[in-house]
Amino acid sequence: MSRRYHLSLVVGLLGLMLLVVAVPVVGSAETSKSHAGTTITVLSAPGPGIMPPVLEEFQKKTGIKVNYSEMAIPSLHSKLATLFAAGSSDVDVVWTYSAWTAEFGSAGYLEPLGDKISEDLKKDLIPGALEAVSYKGVLYGLPRFLSIRSFFYNKQMFREAGLNPDQPPKTWEEFKKAAIALTRDKNGDGKADQWGFLSEYGSPNNCVMAFEMPLYLNDGHMFDKDDSVLFNDARGVKALSELVELHKLGVVDPASMGIASGTDKVTRFVSGLVGMQFGWANTYAFANDPQKSKMVGQLGFGLIPRILDHTATVGGSEGYAIPKSSKKKEAALEFLEFVASKESQKGIAMRTGWMPVRYSVFEDREVQRALPLSKVVAEQAKYRADRFAAPYAQEVIDSLGPEILAAVKGIKSPKQALDDAAAKAKQIVAKYK
Amino acid sequence: MRESLLRKLSRKVDALDEGTFSYLISSPALILFLLLGAFPIIYSLGFSLWNYRLNVPSGRHFVGLANYISMFHDPVFLGSLVKTAYYTVATVCLSTGLGLIAALLLNQSFVGKGIFLLTMLVPWAIPKVVNGLMWKWIYDGNYGILNAILMRLGLIHEYQWWFVKSPAVAMTLVILADVWKNVPFAALLLLAALQAVPISLYEAARCDGANAWQQFKHVTIPGIRYTLMMVLILQTMWSLKAFDLIYTLTRGGPGTNTTITYYYVYQQAFDYLNLGYGSALAYFVALVIIIFSAFYVRILGRAD
């Protein structure tokens, strides 16, 4: 073949490369000023059934077009970090929860929204939902649903164990007694085949959540406001000792060792082999789905049993925030407010079972009728609902999780495990200064 | 005007010597390589000399070789080196050993050989991520088939959560999942090599009174040594760079029980967004792989 033929091939390829590079640049140069007709890009974590109707309604009402995509959480984390560090304006709204809000908010990547949200809306938002989008008193976004852990139990197993299914345990002592009664050897082989309590140790995140519950019930904290370790103080040691005691009593389902997600946990709970758990709101739908559950119509729920004189819980709410680098912040804010609006919140709650982020929606009779759990969640939400969040949280969790596991397996004492984790945590925090 | 410009260009192209013209037609590939390959490699070398965390923009500063020095004081990293060595030696030996046994069997004539060969290909055809998820289910403490089989055999009395048993058990389970996937590759390459060994060599060996072991040692192994070395090289590289299986099966856990070095690099760079330290670790792993490659290439050269 001739040289000219080769050269024309080369020129053609170079032209194609230039085109590939140039097209996104040209396409992103949108300069519309009014919100209607503006296109915003939303990057979200998955949430089956949560967003599609909200997006459709938002676009219909505001004329703002939404370019919405979902990514698995680990990939989304590194994608967002890269976009933020590059100062990209390609994304206008990002999914977040407490840990990411702390991490990206304190890095200066998220737009503070405290003075842009009306006081009426702020007053109507539940603190347990706000923890997903706030860090050290700064509001960086608005929540999309409230998720806090509630106490769930199997009424049928309560009856079989001689417990009153209409009176769930209110204190930790009552909870332990119920766990002992529920742990049974049903087939008579000398070993338990039904357990009192389902915990979670399948990943460092789950280990730490298992520890956070008794920690908050004991008025403990993970860190103070100056990032000094607190989880190994007397309250922390007592909290972990409570958890370890459950294992010594033999009432914890061995399956807890493999629980690495909310889905793992609820799937195990509805198998009908374990009597009690602290779970998310989706437990209600799971437990009453005949396709998935062996305890349809048998789900009981209540407040998390108290260790001191009040209940407390772990939060897992989700929300949306606006990157500082977005060039369409006003349209993005309109999107956030729409998701947190009463109409959207009622729709999400009725459709998915995830709880609303506003007090006023909890008072809605229709919501109360459709979601009997909402009454308990509303009551639980009046108390502390916390979740460990800090820029260094993931690294600390990855070193604390195995120590929690070592304590519940009896390899280390609770104090030793927490002291070892605290020593590592101090080194980790120092790297973020 | 336009035509004359084209003519001028054509004349210039015609006048080019062969070397320059070769560079010209290779330029798109070279540009792509520079943009997508060389640039990130050099850029990340720069990262490795900085304290560079994506989530702490205010703390970025030049630290020189500090990241490289601190990795040798990092207990998780040092532990990951030991685990990587164990993982690499075990997977390479088992994959190659079992692959060789399978190849020797497949080199014989027997009924159902075709079906056996097809069945063997299945693990190799399965994507690595799917392989990881499949073994996760097999080992599952609630519903896993491994527990079911061991229960039926009476070896255990209740379902076990294998990964939390001990670090050694956790790592062994990961190795088994990797070996299952890699054996077919080794077997197929070695089978091709076995089929190329002349029958006359075996006949001559038998005439000289060589028994089966002697034939294997003095005819088979020398006949397949080049392919065997290739299998060893590739398995070693893959084991040193193992990531997919760890990511899907254990995420390096419980604790750091299955955190091998390549996964630790990922964790630092993408979970903790510590690009400076992550890049330094990645360069270290790259260096180790280059040393191994050079070592193998040298041996291969001698073998040739």
Side-chain angles (χ1 to χ4, degrees):
Chain A
M1 281 187 231
S2 72
R3 284 185 167 198
R4 280 176 205 170
Y5 173 77
H6 281 118
L7 190 68
S8 58
L9 259 179
V10 168
V11 171
L13 278 169
L14 282 171
L16 196 67
M17 283 161 65
L18 273 174
L19 201 67
V20 167
V21 172
V23 164
V25 175
V26 173
S28 67
E30 194 177 322
T31 53
S32 172
K33 282 181 183 172
S34 70
H35 296 171
T38 304
T39 300
I40 57 168
T41 300
V42 179
L43 258 184
S44 182
I50 296 172
M51 292 308 289
V54 178
L55 295 171
E56 198 180 313
E57 196 64 20
F58 175 72
Q59 293 182 113
K60 207 190 295 173
K61 283 198 172 168
T62 63
I64 297 171
K65 199 173 166 230
V66 182
N67 180 12
Y68 179 84
S69 52
E70 291 183 349
M71 286 178 81
I73 289 177
S75 324
L76 183 60
H77 182 243
S78 43
K79 168 115 182 162
L80 291 184
T82 315
L83 284 170
F84 293 155
S88 168
S89 59
D90 289 351
V91 179
D92 307 294
V93 174
V94 295
W95 178 92
T96 189
Y97 80 113
S98 53
W100 290 11
T101 303
E103 183 177 19
F104 295 136
S106 62
Y109 292 141
L110 302 178
E111 182 74 14
L113 299 178
D115 57 349
K116 296 181 179 74
I117 307 291
S118 72
E119 286 305 313
D120 284 348
L121 175 54
K122 278 188 209 167
K123 277 182 199 160
D124 200 24
L125 290 169
I126 292 165
L130 279 173
E131 58 87 32
V133 288
S134 318
Y135 181 59
K136 291 193 172 175
V138 182
L139 182 67
Y140 290 102
L142 287 174
R144 74 168 179 172
F145 63 72
L146 169 75
S147 180
I148 55 174
R149 290 215 160 157
S150 300
F151 173 69
F152 293 101
Y153 62 100
N154 185 321
K155 284 184 173 180
Q156 188 183 336
M157 284 168 67
F158 261 53
R159 273 190 292 273
E160 287 169 2
L163 300 164
N164 185 343
D166 299 319
Q167 285 188 349
K170 288 186 169 53
T171 67
W172 199 258
E173 285 307 312
E174 289 173 10
F175 167 72
K176 279 190 286 191
K177 280 180 190 163
I180 293 166
L182 288 163
T183 303
R184 298 169 65 195
D185 170 18
K186 292 177 82 176
N187 64 5
D189 68 352
K191 289 184 176 174
D193 42 29
Q194 173 183 298
W195 294 270
F197 177 59
L198 179 64
S199 191
E200 52 194 316
Y201 306 108
S203 77
N205 278 315
N206 290 87
C207 289
V208 172
M209 270 199 285
F211 167 62
E212 280 182 279
M213 185 64 88
L215 182 70
Y216 301 151
L217 288 167
N218 263 307
D219 277 348
H221 293 270
M222 293 291 288
F223 284 78
D224 69 10
K225 284 180 182 171
D226 300 319
D227 302 311
S228 298
V229 182
L230 289 180
F231 60 70
N232 65 330
D233 66 8
R235 286 174 290 194
V237 174
K238 184 168 183 288
L240 186 53
S241 302
E242 295 286 5
L243 204 57
V244 170
E245 194 193 351
L246 294 174
H247 287 265
K248 285 183 180 164
L249 290 170
V251 299
V252 180
D253 182 356
S256 306
M257 291 297 166
I259 304 291
S261 70
T263 308
D264 285 353
K265 198 171 185 190
V266 72
T267 305
R268 176 65 181 179
F269 180 63
V270 301
S271 70
L273 295 170
V274 59
M276 304 182 288
Q277 68 136 340
F278 306 135
W280 305 120
N282 63 345
T283 305
Y284 186 83
F286 255 83
N288 290 306
D289 181 346
Q291 300 283 320
K292 297 172 182 164
S293 170
K294 288 183 180 169
M295 55 177 292
V296 175
Q298 298 301 324
L299 183 72
F301 36 83
L303 299 180
I304 303 285
R306 58 182 188 269
I307 290 178
L308 301 175
D309 61 351
H310 53 79
T311 180
T313 192
V314 174
S317 301
E318 300 179 3
Y320 289 111
I322 302 170
K324 264 192 180 161
S325 52
S326 164
K327 288 183 178 158
K328 298 163 190 169
K329 292 193 182 83
E330 287 181 13
L333 182 60
E334 211 169 318
F335 176 79
L336 263 60
E337 286 173 335
F338 189 84
V339 174
S341 68
K342 289 177 191 173
E343 296 73 27
S344 299
Q345 285 300 304
K346 185 175 172 180
I348 290 171
M350 301 287 281
R351 217 171 41 248
T352 68
W354 288 112
M355 293 294 151
V357 302
R358 302 176 70 138
Y359 289 114
S360 54
V361 181
F362 271 104
E363 285 159 12
D364 186 298
R365 291 273 168 83
E366 213 180 331
V367 170
Q368 288 175 352
R369 268 198 302 275
L371 299 167
L373 178 64
S374 64
K375 199 177 164 192
V376 165
V377 174
E379 181 63 20
Q380 185 74 57
K382 290 177 185 168
Y383 300 90
R384 181 180 175 192
D386 215 338
R387 181 76 176 269
F388 174 38
Y392 44 80
Q394 194 55 54
E395 269 196 80
V396 169
I397 286 169
D398 284 346
S399 64
L400 173 58
E403 298 294 344
I404 304 288
L405 191 59
V408 298
K409 286 176 77 182
I411 297 167
K412 288 184 181 180
S413 71
K415 180 159 175 42
Q416 187 62 54
L418 291 177
D419 284 347
D420 290 351
K424 289 182 206 163
K426 281 175 192 163
Q427 290 174 357
I428 291 166
V429 174
K431 291 191 283 185
Y432 284 78
K433 294 289 181 189
Chain B
M1 176 76 184
R2 196 179 163 194
E3 203 175 331
S4 66
L5 188 69
L6 276 174
R7 266 189 203 153
K8 269 186 195 172
L9 258 175
S10 301
R11 272 200 303 277
K12 281 193 176 176
V13 170
D14 288 339
L16 291 174
D17 61 75
E18 284 297 318
T20 315
F21 185 71
S22 307
Y23 279 119
L24 187 65
I25 61 166
S26 312
S27 57
L30 277 172
I31 292 168
L32 266 182
F33 169 73
L34 288 171
L35 279 174
L36 304 177
F39 176 71
I41 289 170
I42 295 164
Y43 202 67
S44 60
L45 181 64
F47 273 145
S48 73
L49 305 174
W50 280 68
N51 180 17
Y52 197 105
R53 281 177 179 272
L54 283 181
N55 50 4
V56 190
S58 57
R60 290 172 195 164
H61 58 274
F62 183 76
V63 293
L65 295 174
N67 283 329
Y68 290 92
I69 295 164
S70 63
M71 71 173 75
F72 294 103
H73 298 97
D74 177 350
V76 180
F77 171 70
L78 295 175
S80 81
L81 290 180
V82 176
K83 288 175 200 114
T84 306
Y86 171 53
Y87 180 82
T88 304
V89 170
T91 50
V92 170
C93 291
L94 285 171
S95 301
T96 312
L98 293 173
L100 182 58
I101 292 168
L104 288 167
L105 284 173
L106 287 167
N107 201 30
Q108 311 299 314
S109 296
F110 58 89
V111 180
K113 181 179 166 179
I115 294 168
F116 189 65
L117 194 62
L118 272 176
T119 314
M120 269 209 68
L121 277 173
V122 172
W124 183 244
I126 291 176
K128 286 180 181 177
V129 171
V130 177
N131 184 47
L133 293 172
M134 185 185 79
W135 281 94
K136 194 173 182 175
W137 276 104
I138 289 172
Y139 294 145
D140 189 88
N142 274 326
Y143 317 103
I145 196 168
L146 177 68
N147 275 315
I149 291 169
L150 296 177
M151 279 274 274
R152 291 275 171 90
L153 293 173
L155 296 173
I156 56 172
H157 301 293
E158 57 189 3
Y159 275 37
Q160 306 287 321
W161 288 95
W162 299 102
F163 285 104
V164 293
K165 286 259 161 215
S166 75
V169 170
M171 188 52 97
T172 305
L173 294 177
V174 177
I175 287 167
L176 286 179
D178 197 23
V179 167
W180 183 81
K181 175 153 180 60
N182 288 335
V183 163
F185 173 79
L188 288 177
L189 278 191
L190 293 170
L191 177 62
L194 283 172
Q195 287 171 345
V197 179
I199 304 287
S200 56
L201 290 178
Y202 289 101
E203 288 168 351
R206 273 197 294 273
C207 286
D208 290 341
N211 60 25
W213 169 247
Q214 286 166 328
Q215 285 175 48
F216 175 73
K217 192 179 167 189
H218 297 294
V219 178
T220 307
I221 292 293
I224 63 167
R225 66 183 172 182
Y226 185 81
T227 310
L228 195 59
M229 197 57 75
M230 279 305 295
V231 170
L232 283 171
I233 289 176
L234 290 171
Q235 297 282 8
T236 307
M237 300 303 134
W238 291 337
S239 298
L240 286 172
K241 293 194 297 176
F243 171 76
D244 323 52
L245 187 65
I246 301 286
Y247 184 81
T248 49
L249 193 54
T250 64
R251 295 242 166 183
T256 55
N257 287 355
T258 56
T259 301
I260 59 174
T261 307
Y262 222 65
Y263 184 78
Y264 189 55
V265 174
Y266 167 84
Q267 201 173 31
Q268 285 293 334
F270 296 102
D271 280 352
Y272 307 152
L273 306 174
N274 190 354
L275 291 192
Y277 190 48
S279 300
L281 291 171
Y283 268 91
F284 178 83
V285 176
L287 183 71
V288 171
I289 291 175
I290 288 168
I291 291 169
F292 267 100
S293 305
F295 174 70
Y296 276 131
V297 166
R298 201 180 157 91
I299 291 177
L300 265 180
R302 280 186 195 159
D304 249 355

